Amino acid sequence: MDTALDALTAALPNSALVTDPDVLATLAADDAEWAPAGKPLAALRAHSTAEVQAAVRVCADRRIPVVTRGAGTGLSGGANASDGCLVVDLSRMNRVLEIDAENLLAVVQPGVVNNDLKAAVAEHGLWYPPDPASAPWSTIGGNVATNAGGLCCLKYGVTRDYVLGLEAVMGGPAGAYGTAVRFGRRTAKGVSGYDLTGLFTGSEGTFGVITEITLRLRRAPTGTPHTVVGAFDDLVSAGQAVALCTRRGLQPAALELLDRACMTAVEEWKHLGIEADAAALLLARVDSPGQAGEEEAAAVADAFTRSGALWAERSTDPTEAEALFEVRRLAYPALERLGPVLTEDICVPRSAVPEMLARTEATARRHGVRIATIAHAGDGNLHPLLITPPGDDAAREAAQTAFEELLTDAVALGGTVTGEHGVGLLKRDGMTRELGPEVCAVQHAVKDALDPLGLFNPGKVVGTAR
């Protein structure tokens, strides 16, 4: 009798099927610290929708779990393998299939890297706004799977706001497992039926394998943006500046926070000449054109000053501005060099940012945990980074306890346990506390209806099938 691996090999005779244990180990987990990962049966480096369909058919027949991954840059364990699964690696499905400048859309395969798409559409005078800090490495498929945000989502929205349609290989109500289904539209408007495109966006691979995506684009911005930098002697004052910007109705394209630990880590790594002489920096980018931009930048600087900034400066030098925002993007990898980093992704109402920052500092003191903080502060999305010495089990346990307390604090302030990284494995308990049993029951029902075999990414988001 043939084995499951024999069946996959027979169904995919000319495909890149990986069985080497050392290679499989590199494909078995994303970047989430301490999220458990199983041992895959095999991995498929897919090149086409047809290959994915063939693989899913065999997996359904043999009840082999299917776990999809892109670049593996996720921070919640959402792409981690389960024992005996087939990992479907979509990173080689990396073609931009169409750029329609007239209708402001692009059609891409899921393995296209975010920054590569930006570069491709820029040649047509267009712009794809979602910009997670991992944009140089993360794929559009992974961005869609987690509904990724980024630095400019304060003004321009998150990934879901740009997904017009998609193709997915699924089963259940769509027919036999392995059926490719198209959702969504190419038009600017459309309300035919339920928003299944929106449902799949952020579903973390639990409903099927996304194999093509139609994206909304914007015209490329014109003019030179203003950058406003404010230095603060404590995190809470920086949070108060964010809240004041909100009260005043200011909407910069980006409003980012870095604390001293982040700036120091970047400087020690890259030697960019950063003087980390403040407890926190706020970086704002204002891209409104002409006089409106001048006035908005001045208003942001004034809000920083009135909130107690040590200094607040404006700049229109694009080189200087890009260097500052590059520090923000480098903060996470710089901190990773210091030891294992457990990354939070809480989001609170913008008015609650000062209180959440204060609670984060209190949690760090209470548990003796080193916490550095970066944030998409303008929309209340905070990333406390819990850093532990390598191999220190006591520090790891303290960090995990602090991690759960931060989730509880975010929910208590009217927030959510994940703003853009997804639930995956690390946030399942926090999501249950946030949503409550009734909403979680609805979530389970949707999963069971769209994937009755529990084939796709089992154990993630809503946990195991009931």
Side-chain angles (χ1 to χ4, degrees):
M1 182 176 180
D2 66 341
T3 65
L5 190 55
D6 291 333
L8 283 168
T9 302
L12 301 161
N14 300 311
S15 300
L17 197 63
V18 178
T19 57
D20 181 276
D22 292 335
V23 179
L24 288 179
T26 68
L27 299 173
D30 63 16
D31 281 344
E33 196 65 53
W34 303 321
K39 293 183 178 180
L41 170 70
L44 170 65
R45 297 190 189 274
H47 290 84
S48 68
T49 298
E51 281 188 326
V52 175
Q53 289 181 278
V56 168
R57 291 187 194 109
V58 173
C59 289
D61 289 341
R62 300 296 183 117
R63 299 301 191 268
I64 302 168
V66 175
V67 177
T68 308
R69 67 174 278 129
T73 60
L75 293 168
S76 68
N80 283 16
S82 54
D83 285 334
C85 76
L86 176 70
V87 172
V88 178
D89 176 2
L90 299 176
S91 61
R92 296 186 182 182
M93 292 180 64
N94 57 4
R95 290 187 296 140
V96 177
L97 302 173
E98 179 186 359
I99 298 173
D100 184 341
E102 186 174 6
N103 291 300
L104 297 178
L105 63 84
V107 182
V108 305
Q109 292 184 312
V112 172
V113 171
N114 185 296
N115 270 5
D116 291 346
L117 174 62
K118 282 180 166 55
V121 302
E123 294 180 4
H124 299 262
L126 303 174
W127 179 39
Y128 177 67
D131 62 339
S134 61
W137 314 284
S138 64
T139 62
I140 296 297
N143 294 170
V144 172
T146 58
N147 190 27
L151 276 64
C152 73
C153 60
L154 169 62
K155 184 172 183 177
Y156 292 104
V158 296
T159 299
R160 179 176 283 119
D161 298 307
Y162 294 88
V163 180
L164 288 170
L166 54 83
E167 176 187 76
V169 175
M170 55 182 301
Y177 274 80
T179 301
V181 182
R182 288 185 176 273
F183 303 120
R185 63 191 193 279
R186 292 170 63 98
T187 54
K189 297 168 67 176
V191 290
S192 296
Y194 300 123
D195 182 10
L196 299 179
T197 302
L199 182 63
F200 265 72
T201 304
S203 63
E204 301 184 45
T206 59
F207 298 150
V209 181
I210 295 173
T211 52
E212 187 180 290
I213 305 148
T214 301
L215 296 166
R216 186 195 315 274
L217 304 175
R218 300 176 69 103
R219 298 292 178 193
T222 58
T224 302
H226 300 264
T227 299
V228 184
V229 185
F232 297 82
D233 60 7
D234 64 88
L235 274 178
V236 175
S237 294
Q240 289 169 343
V242 173
L244 181 56
C245 286
T246 299
R247 288 197 301 274
R248 290 184 169 184
L250 301 173
Q251 193 177 34
L255 181 52
E256 297 291 306
L257 179 146
L258 303 92
D259 72 1
R260 180 184 285 120
C262 296
M263 291 183 278
T264 300
V266 173
E267 178 59 22
E268 290 177 350
W269 180 28
K270 293 294 185 179
H271 307 293
L272 300 177
I274 306 163
E275 295 183 7
D277 55 354
L281 282 187
L282 281 180
L283 307 177
R285 176 179 288 152
V286 174
D287 63 357
S288 300
Q291 186 62 30
E294 292 276 355
E295 293 174 357
E296 187 175 8
V300 170
D302 182 68
F304 288 1
T305 300
R306 289 180 181 275
S307 300
L310 300 171
W311 51 263
E313 297 181 358
R314 297 164 54 191
S315 172
T316 56
D317 182 335
T319 301
E320 180 182 60
E322 185 54 37
L324 287 167
F325 278 92
E326 185 64 13
V327 173
R328 165 62 182 86
R329 294 187 182 95
L330 290 171
Y332 179 77
L335 290 165
E336 274 191 311
R337 298 173 65 251
L338 305 179
V341 179
L342 188 57
T343 306
E344 274 286 14
D345 174 40
I346 50 180
C347 192
V348 297
R350 284 173 283 188
S351 60
V353 167
E355 176 61 21
M356 190 65 229
L357 289 170
R359 293 192 184 197
T360 299
E361 291 186 317
T363 296
R365 290 192 298 269
R366 186 162 56 250
H367 294 283
V369 175
R370 183 181 180 187
I371 300 181
T373 298
I374 54 179
H376 308 305
D379 55 16
N381 190 187
L382 311 180
H383 297 313
L385 307 171
L386 294 80
I387 307 162
T388 59
D392 189 329
D393 289 341
R396 175 182 57 79
E397 292 175 5
Q400 289 173 318
T401 299
F403 182 89
E404 292 298 328
E405 287 191 9
L406 292 172
L407 299 184
T408 299
D409 281 339
V411 173
L413 292 173
T416 178
V417 299
T418 175
E420 58 185 3
H421 293 171
V423 174
L425 292 168
L426 293 183
K427 299 293 183 72
R428 289 181 303 178
D429 290 344
M431 186 191 78
T432 299
R433 298 198 296 273
E434 175 188 337
L435 300 182
E438 296 84 6
V439 174
C440 286
V442 174
Q443 301 256 353
H444 276 284
V446 173
K447 165 66 172 172
D448 293 343
L450 295 183
D451 179 21
L453 296 182
L455 195 76
F456 296 112
N457 216 7
K460 312 296 171 48
V461 187
V462 296
T464 55
R466 298 179 302 169

